[in-house]
Amino acid sequence: MKTTKTKRIFVISLITVSILLVATVFLLPWLLRDKIIERARLELNSKLDAEVNFSDVDVSLFRNFPYATIRFENFYIAGKNEFVKDTLLFSKNIDLSINIKSLFSDTGYDIRKLEFNQSKVVVRVLDGGRANWKIMKKDSAQMADSSDMNFHWKLEAFSINNADIYYHYDKNGMDYIFKNVNHTTTGDLTADSSMLVTRTTCDSLSFIWDGASYVKNAQVSFDADIDANLNDMLFKFSKNNSKFNALPFSFSGWLQSIPEGWDMDFLLNTDEVDFKSLLSVIPAMYSTSFDELKTDGEVDIKGFVRGKYANDFYPAFDLSVKASKAWFQYPSLPSRLENINVDARISNPGRTLDETLIDIPLFSFTLGGNPFKASLSLTNPVSDPDVKLHANGKLNTSYISKIYPLEPPTSIQGIVDLGLNIAGKKSWFSANKYDKFKFDGFMNMADLAIRTAFLPQKVEISKAALKFENRYAEVNNLQMKYGDNDMSIQGKFENYIGYLLYDSELKAVLSAKSKNLNVNDFMSENKDVKPSSKGAEKDTTVLKTILIPENIDISMNASVDNLKFADMTLTGSNSALKIKNKTLTIQDLNTSGFGGTMKLSGLYNSNDAINPTMQIKVNLAEVAFKQIFNQVEVLRKYLPIFEKAMGKFSAGLSISALMGEGMSPVLQSINGDGMLSAGSISVGKMIAVEAILKALKKNEIFPVNIDKIGMTFDLKNGKLITKPFSVKLWDTKLTLSGITGTDKTMDYNGKIQLPDKLKLGRFSTFNLSIGGPFSKPIVKVDLMNTVNEIVKENVQKAEDAIVEKVDEVKQAALEKARKEKEKAIAAARIQADKIINLAASQGEILITQAKKQGDKLVEEASNPITKALARKAADRLVEEAQKRANDLNQKAAKEAEQLINNAASKTTF
């Protein structure tokens, strides 16, 4: 019994302990989580002069058992001061594997493994040498908290998974881009000495220097065993194996950290390199059926890097590449590029990059039986490039497709004959020392045809002769086609080398001729063909904004037999063009178009790349309404009333505007003025005219013929302000003026004059207003305004007569008062009575005359409509006469009272 009881107690105790252990395993991470978060933030921010943060922390005892794992989610390090907008590091998560024992220790956490997942690193060095990775605080050792939660690095493994790394060296214009980098390092990283095993791959490596791409999307791998002395920061490379695309190599040597940089000594080993692997360095060769490529030839590659790299001081380096008697061929193609010989070297004695020498004494090959040979030497590439280049050979480009698999639609054929000799320094051009620089040669082309995916249409050069010398490049009889566009150019370019090297001003005087030129083909940004609502294909070409290059001064006389721009078609165009200061000036363009002729002068200014501007003066003579409205969208927006007109007109226009997408003017920015005149034109059925006829209760038949029209207008902020103009619609005269808006609305006022045959008298003219959208205009005819004008006119005449009579009586009274002072009061009373009586009688006369005028209007009216209007006018006349009579009586009473008062006070008049 006692044994059984003891076993029972033991089992219960074991179960209890197990439950407690399991509970501890699950609960411990949550108990430690907040403490770890607080401590991690404190430790990192106390040691780094940067903003360090993370979104969450996860603690697990199972992920890397028997080690605990701390995972930092969305971890980032952001710069301060001049790097405040830069994120040095971002990781989706960072895993730290920790000795579980250290979780229960009061001395801190022992970190055994560090892993970065899905990271992005942006490293930048500014012009002044300040680097964004230098974020360790100098006094971090003193600032470190010595409490019981410090992190102790005892790394045995380090890894980076799926990282993108960007290195920008602003001072020298260098950019390195590493995409999808994966790296592992194993070994004791905290021991005084350790053998580190590293494995690194990069799916895409690119190197850009001063805007030029020298390496593009290369695949790189690097595996090395490194004997690391971590006390002296000395790393010796023993066993290693690397590959650049298909080019294998290894090296031996060492790397040691020194103040402000590194000291190194490496020797390159390329024993396994053959010509095929050497070709893989060329991106175009490595990306196209490389595995099928057949090659042969002798290859020798040697190189070393030796010395210190600190600040702007570089180690010595030397890399030489030689290939002789080489060739390559794709089995699927009939020919091969042969007799390839390369002797190239890049070296630096170990100072600055400006000490670099690039020397290619030999580069040659044979294409289709024609040899080509070139050589190049370049010194002082940073401060003042000194270049020597020789190139000579005839290239039958038709053979390119026979030796290299071009992807459709790419094709090239034709002959290029080239001979160049160049020698001199870049600075000689800035100092205008053209005579010292040697540049002579030629390039002749015949039956050259090129088609690529970047060119929607084929480029053809039937013949061209270019001659080069120190200062000038002369173009003789260049004849080319782009699709259906043809052009012939002759002329001379000045300072073309300075333009290429220094971006100094390029000058040229040219003449150009073309039989067919469609400007739209050179402005197409993208072109999609989509079905319209009727099933037909619709051209949705998007025209891009033209930006004129700076530092160009070109004068050109141009003539084009058939010119197309947007929807416009012009013939027989001749003009003088000037390109300077990012502005195109068109001088005296004469052309035929729209059924008539056009003269144009203007300019297009692209100094503001976002909002270029244009200024134009144009004169149109006898152009057809139908043709110009079909081809010029702006006119359809501003003058819809003429969209269905038949006939011809002349016009003058001066405008300025901003240019928007598709090289169309921004309507709200248009300002200017102009005029339009036409003889006999025929206007089809128009909504606005129909609305006017409906308001007049007239039923007419379209089209309507207009004998003459003349109008002037202003353009202000995109609004067309039309000054008063008259047209005759059938037997009705219409006078209008107003505003047309860019939102396709109008606001016009004017008068309508009905024909005399209707015997409407004064009622034949009345006011008119047209407003609202073009598609549904609102027309208002104001008949009562005419009635009011007649009443006002007649009343004013009667009032003027009465006032004149009162003034005569008043003057007589005043004169008599002056002569007979002693009888002033009595006389004043008599005269006052006369004024009052006179006003009363004149008021009666005014009312009587009003009644007569009203009766006469009614009598003259010849139809029910005008009689009704006349009766209303007669009633209004009597009402106004009664009102005026009352006013006269009140005024006479005041006059009489004033006379008596003046006489009583013996005032001298």
Side-chain angles (χ1 to χ4, degrees):
M1 288 292 293
K2 186 175 181 180
T3 303
T4 303
K5 185 177 180 180
T6 301
K7 289 181 178 180
R8 186 182 298 124
I9 293 172
F10 175 75
V11 171
I12 292 172
S13 299
L14 182 61
I15 293 172
T16 302
V17 171
S18 299
I19 292 173
L20 290 173
L21 286 174
V22 172
T24 300
V25 169
F26 279 100
L27 293 175
L28 186 60
W30 295 102
L31 295 174
L32 294 174
R33 178 178 175 275
D34 291 341
K35 192 175 183 180
I36 292 172
I37 291 175
E38 179 183 356
R39 193 65 211 175
R41 286 197 173 107
L42 179 61
E43 287 288 327
L44 291 168
N45 283 286
S46 67
K47 291 180 171 61
L48 302 179
D49 186 19
E51 180 186 352
V52 185
N53 212 335
F54 43 86
S55 63
D56 200 2
V57 170
D58 177 43
V59 182
S60 172
L61 299 181
F62 297 101
R63 189 176 296 148
N64 290 299
F65 191 82
Y67 294 101
T69 300
I70 300 177
R71 168 166 288 184
F72 295 90
E73 301 282 356
N74 299 313
F75 182 93
Y76 73 88
I77 300 175
K80 292 183 177 180
N81 301 320
E82 62 266 58
F83 300 111
V84 68
K85 295 183 179 180
D86 289 349
T87 299
L88 174 62
L89 167 67
F90 172 82
S91 285
K92 185 67 176 176
N93 53 68
I94 299 177
D95 288 345
L96 288 81
S97 295
I98 301 174
N99 185 344
I100 291 180
K101 293 181 180 180
S102 69
L103 292 175
F104 304 96
S105 172
D106 292 334
T107 59
Y109 296 152
D110 293 336
I111 311 297
R112 299 302 177 95
K113 182 179 179 182
L114 177 62
E115 182 175 332
F116 291 83
N117 298 302
Q118 299 182 50
S119 302
K120 179 179 180 181
V121 180
V122 180
V123 178
R124 184 179 297 278
V125 181
L126 301 179
D127 283 344
R130 179 92 164 92
N132 69 339
W133 75 78
K134 296 181 179 180
I135 56 176
M136 292 294 297
K137 292 181 178 178
K138 294 181 180 180
D139 56 349
S140 60
Q142 288 76 18
M143 295 178 62
D145 193 343
S146 60
S147 62
D148 61 354
M149 291 297 292
N150 288 330
F151 291 96
H152 304 304
W153 298 97
K154 296 185 178 180
L155 285 176
E156 296 176 353
F158 170 75
S159 64
I160 298 172
N161 301 314
N162 302 321
D164 292 339
I165 303 172
Y166 302 84
Y167 180 94
H168 307 291
Y169 195 176
D170 292 352
K171 184 174 183 178
N172 291 323
M174 292 182 177
D175 293 288
Y176 295 86
I177 302 173
F178 305 84
K179 289 293 188 73
N180 197 22
V181 176
N182 291 276
H183 169 82
T184 61
T185 297
T186 58
D188 191 348
L189 296 172
T190 58
D192 292 343
S193 180
S194 177
M195 180 61 71
L196 306 180
V197 180
T198 66
R199 302 289 182 265
T200 306
T201 62
C202 175
D203 288 350
S204 173
L205 166 63
S206 298
F207 171 57
I208 302 169
W209 186 7
D210 200 19
S213 181
Y214 290 87
V215 178
K216 186 175 181 180
N217 301 328
Q219 295 180 0
V220 180
S221 63
F222 172 65
D223 299 339
D225 295 345
I226 304 172
D227 185 2
N229 182 338
L230 298 176
N231 284 336
D232 296 331
M233 290 297 289
L234 175 63
F235 305 92
K236 295 180 180 180
F237 292 79
S238 53
K239 179 183 177 181
N240 63 84
N241 191 342
S242 302
K243 184 174 284 189
F244 186 95
N245 286 341
L247 179 69
F249 64 92
S250 61
F251 53 84
S252 58
W254 53 267
L255 175 71
Q256 184 173 26
S257 177
I258 60 174
E260 302 300 327
W262 297 87
D263 193 7
M264 65 196 73
D265 189 348
F266 291 110
L267 182 65
L268 182 66
N269 179 13
T270 58
D271 292 342
E272 299 180 10
V273 175
D274 57 18
F275 188 65
K276 181 175 181 177
S277 61
L278 180 61
L279 286 178
S280 74
V281 177
I282 304 173
M285 298 295 297
Y286 191 63
S287 62
T288 305
S289 306
F290 184 78
D291 293 339
E292 304 174 8
L293 190 66
K294 304 296 182 183
T295 68
D296 194 13
E298 299 177 3
V299 176
D300 183 25
I301 300 177
K302 296 178 180 179
F304 69 83
V305 180
R306 184 179 300 121
K308 295 179 175 61
Y309 173 59
N311 296 323
D312 289 333
F313 194 93
Y314 288 80
F317 58 84
D318 192 308
L319 176 65
S320 64
V321 178
K322 292 184 179 181
S324 60
K325 301 178 183 178
W327 58 268
F328 72 81
Q329 182 177 13
Y330 289 91
S332 59
L333 298 178
S335 300
R336 68 185 188 181
L337 189 68
E338 53 191 4
N339 294 330
I340 303 172
N341 296 281
V342 179
D343 186 359
R345 181 187 180 194
I346 177 171
S347 62
N348 189 301
R351 297 183 182 87
T352 68
L353 287 180
D354 199 39
E355 303 290 330
T356 303
L357 166 66
I358 299 174
D359 186 24
I360 307 175
L362 177 63
F363 174 69
S364 64
F365 59 81
T366 300
L367 176 64
N370 296 313
F372 180 86
K373 187 175 182 181
S375 63
L376 170 69
S377 174
L378 177 65
T379 59
N380 305 119
V382 178
S383 63
D384 186 15
D386 187 352
V387 62
K388 295 180 177 63
L389 171 68
H390 301 279
N392 188 274
K394 179 179 288 189
L395 300 175
N396 186 343
T397 62
S398 303
Y399 275 90
I400 293 178
S401 61
K402 297 179 180 180
I403 66 165
Y404 184 81
L406 300 176
E407 294 185 7
T410 302
S411 65
I412 182 170
Q413 61 184 26
I415 303 295
V416 177
D417 193 3
L418 174 70
L420 289 177
N421 293 292
I422 302 172
K425 295 182 177 181
K426 179 180 177 181
S427 60
W428 290 348
F429 277 86
S430 63
N432 294 322
K433 297 178 180 179
Y434 299 103
D435 294 339
K436 297 185 67 174
F437 201 99
K438 180 181 180 182
F439 195 124
D440 62 70
F442 66 90
M443 183 169 63
N444 298 325
M445 291 172 277
D447 300 322
L448 189 67
I450 302 173
R451 180 70 186 269
T452 73
F454 305 104
L455 295 172
Q457 303 186 58
K458 183 187 293 185
V459 176
E460 299 176 86
I461 301 176
S462 58
K463 60 180 179 179
L466 284 77
K467 183 179 179 182
F468 305 101
E469 57 182 64
N470 287 12
R471 191 164 183 170
Y472 299 100
E474 189 172 356
V475 180
N476 292 313
N477 200 21
L478 169 60
Q479 296 184 14
M480 64 176 295
K481 292 184 68 177
Y482 177 67
D484 294 329
N485 303 281
D486 68 274
M487 186 167 290
S488 175
I489 300 176
Q490 289 196 163
K492 182 179 288 187
F493 291 89
E494 181 181 356
N495 192 36
Y496 66 101
I497 300 178
Y499 178 73
L500 296 174
L501 296 180
Y502 270 113
D503 201 24
S504 56
E505 189 174 65
L506 172 69
K507 295 184 178 181
V509 177
L510 306 172
S511 63
K513 295 181 179 180
S514 174
K515 293 181 179 178
N516 295 287
L517 183 62
N518 187 346
V519 180
N520 301 332
D521 289 342
F522 301 90
M523 297 170 58
S524 300
E525 190 167 57
N526 54 60
K527 185 173 182 179
D528 300 318
V529 178
K530 301 178 180 179
S532 68
S533 59
K534 297 182 180 179
E537 290 187 339
K538 181 181 179 181
D539 187 351
T540 59
T541 301
V542 177
L543 302 182
K544 60 184 178 181
T545 301
I546 297 175
L547 297 180
I548 299 173
E550 59 184 347
N551 296 333
I552 286 181
D553 183 359
I554 297 178
S555 298
M556 177 186 295
N557 290 317
S559 63
V560 183
D561 292 345
N562 297 287
L563 174 65
K564 186 173 180 61
F565 174 66
D567 293 328
M568 294 184 289
T569 301
L570 307 173
T571 60
S573 303
N574 294 278
S575 180
L577 307 177
K578 179 75 172 179
I579 301 175
K580 187 176 176 66
N581 298 327
K582 302 178 78 171
T583 299
L584 167 65
T585 303
I586 303 173
Q587 301 171 346
D588 300 327
L589 169 65
N590 292 279
T591 186
S592 297
F594 321 120
T597 61
M598 179 174 71
K599 292 184 178 180
L600 182 147
S601 296
L603 61 85
Y604 170 76
N605 187 327
S606 66
N607 277 277
D608 186 339
I610 299 176
N611 296 117
T613 61
M614 66 93 172
Q615 298 176 20
I616 290 178
K617 290 184 178 180
V618 60
N619 288 290
L620 302 170
E622 293 299 305
V623 298
F625 279 102
K626 184 176 181 180
Q627 292 188 37
I628 197 168
F629 272 84
N630 285 340
Q631 298 179 36
V632 183
E633 183 182 4
V634 174
L635 290 180
R636 295 196 294 272
K637 291 181 180 294
Y638 278 119
L639 297 171
I641 194 170
F642 294 119
E643 186 172 356
K644 296 184 179 180
M646 301 293 292
K648 293 193 172 185
F649 71 95
S650 298
L653 181 65
S654 177
I655 61 172
S656 63
L658 300 177
M659 299 298 286
E661 183 179 352
M663 289 303 291
S664 295
V666 178
L667 297 181
Q668 294 82 355
S669 72
I670 297 178
N671 289 282
D673 55 64
M675 58 76 62
L676 180 147
S677 63
S680 177
I681 63 175
S682 175
V683 180
K685 194 172 185 179
M686 294 182 295
I687 296 175
V689 175
E690 282 187 292
I692 294 172
L693 295 175
K694 185 177 180 181
L696 296 176
K697 301 185 184 303
K698 293 173 68 71
N699 185 19
E700 301 289 355
I701 299 175
F702 288 95
V704 58
N705 294 320
I706 301 175
D707 289 337
K708 290 183 179 180
I709 184 172
M711 58 186 295
T712 59
F713 52 85
D714 292 327
L715 286 157
K716 293 184 179 180
N717 299 323
K719 293 183 178 180
L720 178 70
I721 303 172
T722 306
K723 299 175 183 179
F725 70 99
S726 297
V727 293
K728 195 171 184 181
L729 303 177
W730 298 282
D731 54 2
T732 301
K733 183 179 180 182
L734 180 66
T735 302
L736 288 173
S737 64
I739 298 175
T740 303
T742 57
D743 56 354
K744 295 186 177 181
T745 62
M746 52 184 167
D747 183 10
Y748 276 75
N749 294 292
K751 291 183 180 295
I752 290 181
Q753 184 176 340
L754 298 176
D756 294 338
K757 66 182 180 180
L758 297 179
K759 296 182 180 181
L760 298 178
R762 293 293 303 277
F763 293 104
S764 62
T765 302
F766 45 86
N767 293 341
L768 171 77
S769 66
I770 308 174
F774 296 154
S775 59
K776 195 174 181 181
I778 300 172
V779 176
K780 294 181 180 180
V781 177
D782 188 0
L783 298 173
M784 288 308 300
N785 185 70
T786 303
V787 172
N788 292 334
E789 288 181 356
I790 294 173
V791 171
K792 184 177 179 180
E793 182 180 330
N794 283 278
V795 170
Q796 187 64 45
K797 287 181 180 179
E799 182 180 354
D800 291 344
I802 293 170
V803 170
E804 183 179 355
K805 189 67 176 177
V806 170
D807 286 343
E808 290 177 1
V809 174
K810 180 181 175 181
Q811 290 299 325
L814 290 174
E815 185 65 25
K816 188 173 183 180
R818 288 190 184 94
K819 292 180 179 179
E820 301 179 5
K821 259 186 181 183
E822 67 278 6
K823 298 178 181 179
I825 295 175
R829 289 185 183 277
I830 295 171
Q831 293 301 325
D833 292 338
K834 289 183 178 181
I835 290 174
I836 291 172
N837 294 332
L838 179 59
S841 64
Q842 292 297 330
E844 291 295 331
I845 294 172
L846 182 60
I847 294 171
T848 301
Q849 289 178 344
K851 289 181 178 180
K852 290 181 179 180
Q853 289 287 342
D855 293 339
K856 185 177 180 181
L857 288 173
V858 174
E859 183 182 351
E860 290 178 349
S862 58
N863 58 62
I865 294 176
T866 56
K867 277 188 179 294
L869 291 171
R871 287 193 185 95
K872 289 183 179 181
D875 293 341
R876 290 289 299 276
L877 281 170
V878 174
E879 290 175 6
E880 287 294 325
Q882 184 66 56
K883 184 178 178 181
R884 297 292 183 178
N886 293 337
D887 291 341
L888 288 173
N889 289 332
Q890 292 177 7
K891 187 175 181 181
K894 289 182 179 180
E895 293 272 351
E897 184 179 357
Q898 184 65 37
L899 280 172
I900 295 170
N901 291 337
N902 288 340
S905 59
K906 298 182 180 180
T907 302
T908 302
F909 296 94

